[in-house]
Amino acid sequence: MEISVKCPIFGCLLLVLLPMLCSSQDNFVYSRATYYGSPDCYGTPSGACGFGDFGRTVNDGNVAAVSYLYRNGSGCGACYQVRCTNPTYCSDSGAYVVVTDHGEGDYTDFILSPRAFAKLAHPNTAFELFSYGVVDVQFRRVSCQYPNYNTVKFKVHEHSRYPDYLAIVIIYVGGQNDITVVELWQEDCNEWKGMRRSHGAVWDMANPPKGDIKLRFQVSGSVGYGRWVMVTNALPSYWKAGIAYDTDIHLY
């Protein structure tokens, strides 16, 4: 489910100006940001990236929907520092967020979870910041870091149906890296076969190879442009929907 017009905690207030897309000397870009309603202030499990519950709680719920930064799904999982510009209410560091959804809010680049939006404020000034509904911000892409999960995992999407349909999401991708291509090794044809980007960060294939899954994916970002990363035993022979499988891959 994609996010469109949002109803904030204090009512449906969404007055937005056209973002100023100009860079500052420290590589921040000027824009606008708002937030969406959430009963527990976390993200949504129905985000367009297809992360499910991972997208609700990853990064302690400091997540965001983005518009053009979504980049047809290749922007899913990217991390950004977002800070607002009102010196009375806004902290210097702002919020560090993970992209888990697509959404547009009248030319805003970010629609933050309430938890992330509150991080924009100085201590004890979040209420005042929420009352604005929309704020001017600066943002820049930063490296993703997951202190408790420093290796990549392959999660079998809940919609997978063993053995006829496999969909996966690659999670805990560190650094500033985009996954651009995913392929499985087809033993009987002796060739790599590309998976389809189903939506967001979800890659799928009908009639996947039997046995242990050998997988490779192409990375564009801090580890290099177009670099291939190969995993011999990415998934076991009898993979299960909803299960995340560990790897020893570190991306920085």
Side-chain angles (χ1 to χ4, degrees):
M1 178 184 295
E2 295 191 5
I3 296 175
S4 53
V5 176
K6 308 298 161 196
C7 288
I9 296 172
F10 300 98
C12 200
L13 176 63
L14 202 60
L15 301 176
V16 188
L17 300 178
L18 184 69
M20 297 178 292
L21 298 179
C22 54
S23 298
S24 64
Q25 291 182 350
D26 53 358
N27 297 320
F28 280 89
V29 177
Y30 289 93
S31 184
R32 302 274 283 175
T34 184
Y35 63 98
Y36 57 86
S38 169
D40 57 6
C41 293
Y42 282 88
T44 171
S46 56
C49 289
F51 288 137
D53 284 336
F54 171 81
R56 192 180 79 82
T57 59
V58 65
N59 196 37
D60 199 26
N62 294 294
V63 298
V66 293
S67 52
Y68 84 94
L69 295 171
Y70 182 74
R71 293 181 282 119
N72 294 319
S74 63
C76 289
C79 297
Y80 293 90
Q81 180 187 7
V82 183
R83 63 187 189 190
C84 57
T85 58
N86 185 323
T88 302
Y89 302 118
C90 300
S91 69
D92 292 334
S93 57
Y96 292 84
V97 299
V98 178
V99 173
T100 60
D101 203 356
H102 176 267
E104 299 189 19
D106 238 352
Y107 298 106
T108 57
D109 283 316
F110 291 88
I111 304 176
L112 303 172
S113 67
R115 199 174 185 87
F117 196 86
K119 288 284 183 67
L120 300 178
H122 289 304
N124 304 316
T125 64
F127 184 89
E128 288 84 355
L129 201 62
F130 273 112
S131 68
Y132 278 84
V134 181
V135 293
D136 294 310
V137 298
Q138 299 173 319
F139 73 90
R140 64 180 176 180
R141 188 166 180 181
V142 295
S143 293
C144 293
Q145 298 181 9
Y146 305 99
N148 297 322
Y149 301 94
N150 58 5
T151 57
V152 172
K153 291 188 176 185
F154 299 119
K155 181 183 177 184
V156 180
H157 196 272
E158 287 79 2
H159 291 167
S160 299
R161 300 183 304 276
Y162 180 86
D164 301 317
Y165 172 73
L166 173 63
I168 65 169
V169 184
I170 304 175
I171 58 177
Y172 296 119
V173 177
Q176 298 185 39
N177 295 295
D178 297 334
I179 306 299
T180 57
V181 181
V182 180
E183 297 181 340
L184 302 185
W185 178 252
Q186 196 82 34
E187 188 69 37
D188 54 352
C189 300
N190 200 34
E191 66 178 5
W192 290 99
K193 186 176 180 181
M195 300 187 80
R196 178 187 67 137
R197 187 188 290 276
S198 170
H199 63 281
V202 181
W203 300 83
D204 69 355
M205 176 184 289
N207 302 312
K210 302 298 187 293
D212 292 346
I213 300 294
K214 182 178 178 180
L215 178 152
R216 70 177 185 178
F217 58 91
Q218 195 172 51
V219 177
S220 175
S222 54
V223 300
Y225 182 82
R227 173 189 167 189
W228 285 99
V229 179
M230 187 164 61
V231 187
T232 302
N233 295 311
L235 302 176
S237 300
Y238 298 99
W239 45 263
K240 295 182 179 180
I243 302 298
Y245 295 93
D246 291 315
T247 74
D248 58 358
I249 298 170
H250 299 261
L251 294 180
Y252 300 107

